[in-house]
Amino acid sequence: MSKDGRQVCLRTDPMGVVEHIGIPLFDERMRLLQPSPVYDFLEYVALNKKYKLEENQLNLSKVIFKLGNWETLYREKLGECACSIENREDKLYVVTWKKDEKDLAVVGIPIEYELLNNDTRRNMEQKFVRELSERIDSTIRPAAMDVREKDLSIYGTEGLFVIPGKSYLIDLLNQNVYYKLTTIYEQTDTIIRGKSYTLNIEAVQPVVVNEMDYPAETMSNYMMCDNSAVPDVTIELDFHLSDYHRQSITMPLSRLKAYCRQQGCSFYFACDGTRKEIIRGVMFASNLANGYNHLFSIRMAKEQIQETTPKLQADVYLYIPPISKEKLFGTAPTKKSGANFKLP
């Protein structure tokens, strides 16, 4: 469609509801090959700047030009230009358009979820809780994985092993799954030189830790092991929402994680130890590409380890900005960023 002789892009859902409107700035093939929240945000903001669709124009100040200006975006057919989007330290998107191998426009956009989503935190929280509450489909977890002894790394001095996962912020906040070795005994029938024999076979096999003797590792496995090697725990979520609102939902942990993964989140967990028979920890559902974390402060009675379906409680804080090591853990970063992008 067009307005005042200018091309305008419009996207609707199958029911005809408008999902996006803006001035086209990107090649459609790029949208498919390199998904990013930048496309819709920048195209809509360009349209809003030109035609003042909203009274609130504060988001315009977030778009910082290193090269070019708004008129450059309007004047040039940027959808036909070469374009790249760079993520700088999960803090800044840098969008560069080139024409004839020369930079045509360079724009910096802070990675802030409320900004890129063009919505308020309150509305996003309400949508999250509403959609999570309405989900009634069950989540099928895959069968337990076959783990070979050679895949394990030694963990501590207690005879435990670990398959290390990725870490976030610090090594303690990770995706680790913990194992121990157990001996299994099997009998098998065989024929040797025409005679039938029953042989006793003894083998060592890794099993996922789920024991009272290892509460921290067990809770970590509950949070990070997604297959049926551990029970599918039930989690009571106490959402701490904007304007001091509270809301509670109880559901299987696997369903919560499946929903968050659909949003693009990755999970990390750190156990804070056991006090007065209560195991405590923190889990992050992290989406750095969109500039937010969901934070879950989790607790579980140690006795729940003996239950078939353990129950956990969590205080939940949605859509919080990415957290630095220094603010969360009181430690200074070990190295500085090498990024050098100065905007006026």
Short mmCIF file of all heavy atoms in Angstrom, two decimals, residues 19 40-41 44-45 48 54 56 59 62 112-128 130-131 242 290 319:
data_model
loop_
_atom_site.label_atom_id
_atom_site.label_comp_id
_atom_site.label_asym_id
_atom_site.label_seq_id
_atom_site.Cartn_x
_atom_site.Cartn_y
_atom_site.Cartn_z
N GLU A 19 -0.83 -6.63 12.47
CA GLU A 19 0.27 -6.96 13.36
C GLU A 19 1.43 -5.98 13.23
O GLU A 19 2.17 -5.76 14.17
CB GLU A 19 0.78 -8.38 13.08
CG GLU A 19 -0.20 -9.47 13.44
CD GLU A 19 0.39 -10.86 13.23
OE1 GLU A 19 1.22 -11.01 12.31
OE2 GLU A 19 0.04 -11.78 13.99
N ASP A 40 10.59 -4.65 12.63
CA ASP A 40 9.29 -4.05 12.91
C ASP A 40 9.42 -2.75 13.69
O ASP A 40 8.72 -1.77 13.42
CB ASP A 40 8.40 -5.02 13.68
CG ASP A 40 7.87 -6.15 12.81
OD1 ASP A 40 8.19 -6.16 11.60
OD2 ASP A 40 7.14 -7.02 13.33
N PHE A 41 10.35 -2.74 14.66
CA PHE A 41 10.51 -1.54 15.48
C PHE A 41 10.92 -0.34 14.63
O PHE A 41 10.29 0.72 14.67
CB PHE A 41 11.56 -1.77 16.57
CG PHE A 41 12.01 -0.50 17.25
CD1 PHE A 41 11.19 0.15 18.17
CD2 PHE A 41 13.23 0.07 16.95
CE1 PHE A 41 11.58 1.32 18.78
CE2 PHE A 41 13.64 1.25 17.56
CZ PHE A 41 12.81 1.88 18.48
N TYR A 44 8.25 0.82 12.03
CA TYR A 44 7.11 1.50 12.65
C TYR A 44 7.52 2.88 13.17
O TYR A 44 6.78 3.86 12.99
CB TYR A 44 6.55 0.68 13.81
CG TYR A 44 5.44 1.41 14.54
CD1 TYR A 44 4.16 1.50 14.00
CD2 TYR A 44 5.68 2.06 15.75
CE1 TYR A 44 3.15 2.19 14.64
CE2 TYR A 44 4.68 2.75 16.40
CZ TYR A 44 3.42 2.82 15.85
OH TYR A 44 2.43 3.52 16.49
N VAL A 45 8.69 2.97 13.80
CA VAL A 45 9.15 4.26 14.32
C VAL A 45 9.34 5.26 13.18
O VAL A 45 9.03 6.45 13.32
CB VAL A 45 10.44 4.08 15.13
CG1 VAL A 45 11.06 5.43 15.47
CG2 VAL A 45 10.16 3.32 16.42
N ASN A 48 5.96 6.44 12.33
CA ASN A 48 5.46 7.28 13.42
C ASN A 48 6.12 8.66 13.39
O ASN A 48 5.48 9.68 13.63
CB ASN A 48 5.73 6.59 14.75
CG ASN A 48 5.05 7.28 15.91
OD1 ASN A 48 4.09 8.02 15.73
ND2 ASN A 48 5.54 7.05 17.11
N GLU A 54 1.36 8.55 16.97
CA GLU A 54 1.15 8.56 18.41
C GLU A 54 1.62 9.89 18.98
O GLU A 54 2.55 10.50 18.46
CB GLU A 54 1.91 7.42 19.09
CG GLU A 54 1.49 6.03 18.65
CD GLU A 54 2.34 4.96 19.32
OE1 GLU A 54 3.33 5.32 19.98
OE2 GLU A 54 2.01 3.78 19.17
N ASN A 56 3.01 10.10 21.96
CA ASN A 56 4.27 9.81 22.64
C ASN A 56 5.36 9.54 21.60
O ASN A 56 5.35 8.53 20.92
CB ASN A 56 4.09 8.58 23.55
CG ASN A 56 5.35 8.29 24.35
OD1 ASN A 56 6.34 9.01 24.26
ND2 ASN A 56 5.31 7.23 25.13
N ASN A 59 10.18 7.34 22.01
CA ASN A 59 11.02 6.27 21.47
C ASN A 59 11.89 6.74 20.31
O ASN A 59 12.89 6.12 19.98
CB ASN A 59 10.17 5.07 21.03
CG ASN A 59 9.10 5.45 20.02
OD1 ASN A 59 8.99 6.61 19.62
ND2 ASN A 59 8.31 4.48 19.61
N LYS A 62 15.53 7.29 21.11
CA LYS A 62 16.36 6.11 21.28
C LYS A 62 17.11 5.72 20.00
O LYS A 62 18.08 4.99 20.04
CB LYS A 62 15.50 4.92 21.74
CG LYS A 62 14.84 5.12 23.11
CD LYS A 62 15.84 4.95 24.22
CE LYS A 62 15.13 4.95 25.57
NZ LYS A 62 16.06 4.66 26.69
N GLU A 112 16.45 -2.93 24.41
CA GLU A 112 15.51 -2.82 25.53
C GLU A 112 14.17 -3.38 25.07
O GLU A 112 13.59 -2.92 24.09
CB GLU A 112 15.34 -1.35 25.95
CG GLU A 112 16.64 -0.69 26.40
CD GLU A 112 16.47 0.80 26.66
OE1 GLU A 112 15.32 1.27 26.55
OE2 GLU A 112 17.48 1.47 26.94
N TYR A 113 13.67 -4.39 25.78
CA TYR A 113 12.50 -5.12 25.28
C TYR A 113 11.28 -4.22 25.16
O TYR A 113 10.54 -4.29 24.17
CB TYR A 113 12.19 -6.30 26.19
CG TYR A 113 11.14 -7.20 25.60
CD1 TYR A 113 11.40 -7.92 24.43
CD2 TYR A 113 9.88 -7.33 26.18
CE1 TYR A 113 10.45 -8.73 23.87
CE2 TYR A 113 8.92 -8.15 25.61
CZ TYR A 113 9.21 -8.85 24.47
OH TYR A 113 8.26 -9.65 23.90
N GLU A 114 11.02 -3.38 26.15
CA GLU A 114 9.85 -2.51 26.07
C GLU A 114 9.93 -1.59 24.87
O GLU A 114 8.94 -1.32 24.21
CB GLU A 114 9.74 -1.68 27.36
CG GLU A 114 9.42 -2.52 28.59
CD GLU A 114 9.40 -1.69 29.85
OE1 GLU A 114 8.72 -0.66 29.86
OE2 GLU A 114 10.06 -2.06 30.83
N LEU A 115 11.14 -1.12 24.57
CA LEU A 115 11.34 -0.24 23.42
C LEU A 115 11.09 -1.00 22.12
O LEU A 115 10.29 -0.57 21.28
CB LEU A 115 12.76 0.33 23.45
CG LEU A 115 13.18 1.13 22.22
CD1 LEU A 115 12.43 2.45 22.16
CD2 LEU A 115 14.69 1.38 22.24
N LEU A 116 11.75 -2.14 21.96
CA LEU A 116 11.65 -2.88 20.71
C LEU A 116 10.26 -3.46 20.50
O LEU A 116 9.81 -3.65 19.38
CB LEU A 116 12.69 -4.00 20.69
CG LEU A 116 14.16 -3.54 20.68
CD1 LEU A 116 15.09 -4.73 20.86
CD2 LEU A 116 14.48 -2.82 19.38
N ASN A 117 9.57 -3.74 21.59
CA ASN A 117 8.23 -4.31 21.49
C ASN A 117 7.15 -3.23 21.38
O ASN A 117 5.98 -3.54 21.16
CB ASN A 117 7.94 -5.18 22.73
CG ASN A 117 6.82 -6.16 22.50
OD1 ASN A 117 6.78 -6.85 21.50
ND2 ASN A 117 5.89 -6.21 23.45
N ASN A 118 7.54 -1.97 21.55
CA ASN A 118 6.61 -0.84 21.45
C ASN A 118 5.40 -1.04 22.36
O ASN A 118 4.25 -0.90 21.96
CB ASN A 118 6.15 -0.64 20.00
CG ASN A 118 5.45 0.70 19.81
OD1 ASN A 118 5.80 1.68 20.45
ND2 ASN A 118 4.46 0.74 18.94
N ASP A 119 5.68 -1.41 23.62
CA ASP A 119 4.61 -1.68 24.56
C ASP A 119 5.09 -1.36 25.97
O ASP A 119 6.28 -1.15 26.19
CB ASP A 119 4.19 -3.16 24.48
CG ASP A 119 2.76 -3.38 24.95
OD1 ASP A 119 2.17 -2.45 25.53
OD2 ASP A 119 2.24 -4.49 24.73
N THR A 120 4.17 -1.33 26.92
CA THR A 120 4.53 -1.08 28.30
C THR A 120 4.83 -2.41 29.00
O THR A 120 4.32 -3.47 28.60
CB THR A 120 3.41 -0.37 29.07
OG1 THR A 120 2.27 -1.25 29.15
CG2 THR A 120 3.00 0.91 28.35
N ARG A 121 5.63 -2.33 30.04
CA ARG A 121 5.93 -3.54 30.80
C ARG A 121 4.67 -4.14 31.39
O ARG A 121 4.50 -5.37 31.42
CB ARG A 121 6.94 -3.22 31.91
CG ARG A 121 7.29 -4.42 32.76
CD ARG A 121 8.39 -4.10 33.74
NE ARG A 121 8.62 -5.20 34.64
CZ ARG A 121 9.55 -5.22 35.58
NH1 ARG A 121 10.34 -4.17 35.72
NH2 ARG A 121 9.70 -6.25 36.37
N ARG A 122 3.77 -3.31 31.85
CA ARG A 122 2.52 -3.78 32.44
C ARG A 122 1.73 -4.62 31.44
O ARG A 122 1.25 -5.71 31.76
CB ARG A 122 1.68 -2.59 32.92
CG ARG A 122 0.30 -2.94 33.46
CD ARG A 122 0.37 -3.81 34.69
NE ARG A 122 -0.94 -4.04 35.28
CZ ARG A 122 -1.23 -5.06 36.07
NH1 ARG A 122 -0.32 -5.95 36.38
NH2 ARG A 122 -2.44 -5.19 36.57
N ASN A 123 1.59 -4.14 30.21
CA ASN A 123 0.85 -4.87 29.20
C ASN A 123 1.53 -6.19 28.86
O ASN A 123 0.86 -7.22 28.66
CB ASN A 123 0.70 -4.03 27.93
CG ASN A 123 -0.29 -2.90 28.10
OD1 ASN A 123 -1.11 -2.91 29.01
ND2 ASN A 123 -0.21 -1.90 27.24
N MET A 124 2.85 -6.17 28.78
CA MET A 124 3.58 -7.39 28.45
C MET A 124 3.42 -8.43 29.55
O MET A 124 3.26 -9.62 29.28
CB MET A 124 5.05 -7.07 28.20
CG MET A 124 5.27 -6.22 26.96
SD MET A 124 7.01 -5.98 26.56
CE MET A 124 7.61 -5.10 28.00
N GLU A 125 3.48 -7.98 30.80
CA GLU A 125 3.30 -8.91 31.93
C GLU A 125 1.91 -9.54 31.88
O GLU A 125 1.76 -10.76 32.06
CB GLU A 125 3.48 -8.16 33.25
CG GLU A 125 4.90 -7.73 33.54
CD GLU A 125 4.97 -6.85 34.78
OE1 GLU A 125 3.93 -6.30 35.20
OE2 GLU A 125 6.07 -6.72 35.34
N GLN A 126 0.89 -8.72 31.66
CA GLN A 126 -0.48 -9.23 31.63
C GLN A 126 -0.65 -10.25 30.50
O GLN A 126 -1.31 -11.28 30.69
CB GLN A 126 -1.46 -8.08 31.45
CG GLN A 126 -1.59 -7.19 32.69
CD GLN A 126 -2.54 -6.02 32.45
OE1 GLN A 126 -2.63 -5.49 31.35
NE2 GLN A 126 -3.27 -5.63 33.49
N LYS A 127 -0.05 -9.98 29.36
CA LYS A 127 -0.14 -10.91 28.24
C LYS A 127 0.55 -12.22 28.57
O LYS A 127 0.04 -13.31 28.28
CB LYS A 127 0.47 -10.29 26.98
CG LYS A 127 0.40 -11.19 25.77
CD LYS A 127 1.02 -10.53 24.55
CE LYS A 127 0.97 -11.46 23.34
NZ LYS A 127 1.63 -10.84 22.15
N PHE A 128 1.74 -12.14 29.19
CA PHE A 128 2.48 -13.34 29.56
C PHE A 128 1.65 -14.22 30.49
O PHE A 128 1.47 -15.42 30.25
CB PHE A 128 3.79 -12.95 30.24
CG PHE A 128 4.67 -14.10 30.61
CD1 PHE A 128 5.75 -14.45 29.81
CD2 PHE A 128 4.44 -14.85 31.76
CE1 PHE A 128 6.57 -15.51 30.15
CE2 PHE A 128 5.25 -15.91 32.11
CZ PHE A 128 6.33 -16.24 31.30
N ARG A 130 -1.58 -14.13 31.12
CA ARG A 130 -2.83 -14.58 30.50
C ARG A 130 -2.59 -15.77 29.58
O ARG A 130 -3.30 -16.78 29.65
CB ARG A 130 -3.46 -13.43 29.72
CG ARG A 130 -4.80 -13.81 29.07
CD ARG A 130 -5.43 -12.64 28.35
NE ARG A 130 -4.63 -12.21 27.20
CZ ARG A 130 -3.92 -11.09 27.16
NH1 ARG A 130 -3.89 -10.28 28.22
NH2 ARG A 130 -3.22 -10.77 26.09
N GLU A 131 -1.61 -15.66 28.71
CA GLU A 131 -1.34 -16.75 27.77
C GLU A 131 -0.87 -18.00 28.49
O GLU A 131 -1.23 -19.13 28.11
CB GLU A 131 -0.32 -16.31 26.73
CG GLU A 131 -0.84 -15.25 25.77
CD GLU A 131 0.17 -14.88 24.71
OE1 GLU A 131 1.34 -15.32 24.82
OE2 GLU A 131 -0.20 -14.18 23.76
N SER A 242 3.83 -5.28 37.87
CA SER A 242 3.92 -3.82 38.02
C SER A 242 2.79 -3.30 38.90
O SER A 242 1.74 -3.92 39.03
CB SER A 242 3.83 -3.17 36.63
OG SER A 242 4.87 -3.62 35.79
N ASN A 290 16.48 -9.94 22.70
CA ASN A 290 15.40 -8.97 22.84
C ASN A 290 15.56 -8.09 24.07
O ASN A 290 14.72 -7.24 24.34
CB ASN A 290 14.04 -9.68 22.91
CG ASN A 290 13.62 -10.22 21.56
OD1 ASN A 290 14.06 -9.73 20.53
ND2 ASN A 290 12.79 -11.24 21.56
N TYR A 319 10.30 -9.72 32.51
CA TYR A 319 10.80 -8.67 31.63
C TYR A 319 11.71 -7.67 32.35
O TYR A 319 11.55 -6.46 32.21
CB TYR A 319 9.64 -7.94 30.95
CG TYR A 319 8.83 -8.84 30.05
CD1 TYR A 319 7.54 -9.25 30.40
CD2 TYR A 319 9.35 -9.31 28.85
CE1 TYR A 319 6.80 -10.09 29.59
CE2 TYR A 319 8.62 -10.16 28.04
CZ TYR A 319 7.35 -10.54 28.40
OH TYR A 319 6.62 -11.38 27.59
#
